[in-house]
Each structure stands twice: as structure tokens, then as C-alpha cells.
Amino acid sequence: MHTSLNLPERVGSKPETTHGLPHAQVTQHGPDDIVDQMRDWAFSLPGVDEAHSLVSVPGARAMVMHDGAACNHEAFMIGREIAHIHPKPDNGSMHVQLPQADALEVVKKGWGEHHTLVDLSRRPVGLVMVYSPRDEAELAIIKSILGRSYEYTTGKDIAA
């Protein structure tokens, strides 16, 4: 496992977001082709099934670990769900469960923000909303963040 995500600073201003439930990104969504590439990559990871999210808005696609996969249960949001990608109009932002240090780095470097429930002290630090990738370069960074969530869950390194 890596010691740090070592993310660069996200370029530009922070997107507008909502701070209630549902927690959503309002501006700066990536183009469909970039979001589709991210979604395809996420659901191609070994042991990951695509399913309806148990905790997100209708149409959100969840990364759910196979029942038989050995996993770190602290990495689950609910059931065996480790992340979910939001549908349009909030195209491509996602909620992801990460180790605490990685979640803090994602927020510090501007790639996301703590989930509303974390801000309300109803969930521990680790659940973050990661912003939609706006281009190929950002897609690579978002894959590294999603990959970290996968590694946290499975204990296995992957190449983004």
C-alpha cells in the first residue's frame, strides 16, 4: 500500500456544492466522455459489481464488492458499497470511502470535500465527495483516488 496519494493541487476554483442531503456538486462537471471513461474503469476493477446505490439519489451507480471477496469492512459505506457515482445533472461527482489521511489530503488539495454527514459528526473522517473530472489529466488523478478506495477495501494494489 502507498504511504500517500501525493496529489497535486486541483487547478481553479472549488465547484459549487450543496451541503444538505443529498450532497451534490452543482457546477464544473466533466464532459460525458471523460465521466464515461471513469465509470467504465471503476466498474472494470476485479471483484467490483455495478449496482444501484443504497444511500444515494436514484440513478447513482455504486461500486459494490462481490460477496465472496475478502474485504476491509471499515471501507464500506453501507452493505458492500465502497463508492457511488452520481448521475446527471450532477454528472460524475462521487462519494468515496477512504482512509482518514487520504480523505484529508483529497480535501486539502481541492479534489473533494467531506461528506455532509462527516461535517455533522455523524460519520468519521474518510467519507468524501470527489469532484467530477473535467479533463484527461484530472481523470488520471480521480482514478488514483478511486484506486486508493479499492486498495483500502481489498488490500490489493492496482495500477490506475
Side-chain angles (χ1 to χ4, degrees), residues 47-113:
V48 172
D49 290 325
E50 181 176 356
H52 294 288
S53 174
L54 298 176
V55 289
S56 189
V57 297
R61 305 310 299 160
M63 293 173 66
V64 177
M65 298 306 299
H66 286 316
D67 284 342
C71 297
N72 169 11
H73 291 264
E74 291 179 15
F76 296 143
M77 284 187 224
I78 186 170
R80 295 178 71 83
E81 184 172 330
I82 63 169
H84 56 253
I85 303 169
H86 299 136
K88 290 182 178 182
D90 180 5
N91 195 31
S93 73
M94 68 203 78
H95 284 111
V96 179
Q97 188 71 40
L98 293 165
Q100 182 176 10
D102 295 319
L104 292 170
E105 182 179 357
V106 165
V107 172
K108 180 180 177 193
K109 300 286 182 72
W111 292 102
E113 61 189 55

Side-chain angles (χ1 to χ4, degrees), residues 1-5 72 74-76 82 96-107 114 124-128 144-153:
M1 297 281 251
H2 307 288
T3 54
S4 171
L5 278 170
N72 169 11
E74 291 179 15
F76 296 143
I82 63 169
V96 179
Q97 188 71 40
L98 293 165
Q100 182 176 10
D102 295 319
L104 292 170
E105 182 179 357
V106 165
V107 172
H114 296 293
V125 171
L127 182 58
V128 293
S144 74
I145 296 169
L146 265 176
R148 176 53 64 87
S149 178
Y150 180 83
E151 291 168 0
Y152 178 48
T153 304

